[in-house]
Amino acid sequence: MAYDENTAARVRKLLAGQRYVAEKKMMGGLCFMVNNTMCCTVSGRGGMLIRVGPEAHARMLQEPHTSPMEMRGRIMTGFVRVAPDGYQSDTELKNWVKRGLDFVAANAAGRKAAPRKAASAKTKVAAKAKAPPRGRARKGLRR
């Protein structure tokens, strides 16, 4: 089943002001990625998948027209499925997309780039020893 193009166009319009937005066909629909993190998906099974994070998962399931996201018989904590009735108005859709964006923002704030370790002298010597010799033919090879 194909995803709803009308809903996808509405989501595109809402995300137009965001930086680093990408669309990928995955999870049975069209996934909207913001800063390389999944925000929401217009599902091919109908409705939308919104990434809310594990902390907000139970709270979001209390909202009308929501259900847990199930994949291969397993509940995916941190995602909720929203039925089309839950985002018929532009305000409702905006609220759901904002929840996905809130997750992306919180995820980016919690993620810090790991500092790069400087290569030790021992590592540099070991790497040099493994490199093939330059300019000389290796034993057993003819030119």
Side-chain angles (χ1 to χ4, degrees):
M1 178 185 226
Y3 58 88
D4 181 12
E5 282 288 343
N6 184 39
T7 302
R10 291 172 63 203
V11 173
R12 274 186 205 104
K13 187 177 175 183
L14 289 171
L15 293 176
Q18 293 291 317
R19 295 176 63 191
Y20 310 114
V21 175
E23 297 178 14
K24 292 185 180 184
K25 289 186 179 182
M26 59 189 269
M27 299 180 74
L30 184 65
C31 179
F32 290 89
M33 310 279 286
V34 178
N35 294 329
N36 292 323
T37 304
M38 182 192 153
C39 173
C40 59
T41 300
V42 180
S43 178
R45 291 178 41 196
M48 290 184 67
L49 304 175
I50 308 294
R51 190 161 187 191
V52 295
E55 299 81 25
H57 185 251
R59 188 175 68 245
M60 292 298 136
L61 288 175
Q62 303 301 316
E63 296 283 328
H65 310 291
T66 61
S67 61
M69 179 188 158
E70 188 175 323
M71 190 176 221
R72 295 185 181 144
R74 211 175 114 214
I75 301 296
M76 303 299 289
T77 306
F79 294 86
V80 292
R81 180 175 294 282
V82 182
D85 291 340
Y87 56 84
Q88 284 190 344
S89 75
D90 289 340
T91 303
E92 290 169 324
L93 181 64
K94 184 178 180 178
N95 287 337
W96 281 112
V97 171
K98 183 184 179 322
R99 289 172 177 155
L101 289 171
D102 289 346
F103 171 81
V104 170
N107 191 40
R111 216 179 3 169
K112 293 182 181 173
R116 297 184 81 185
K117 293 182 180 179
S120 67
K122 202 177 207 180
T123 307
K124 289 178 185 176
V125 170
K128 202 172 195 179
K130 290 181 183 178
R134 289 188 190 173
R136 291 184 278 159
R138 285 190 244 157
K139 196 174 189 178
L141 297 177
R142 294 182 186 203
R143 289 185 182 208

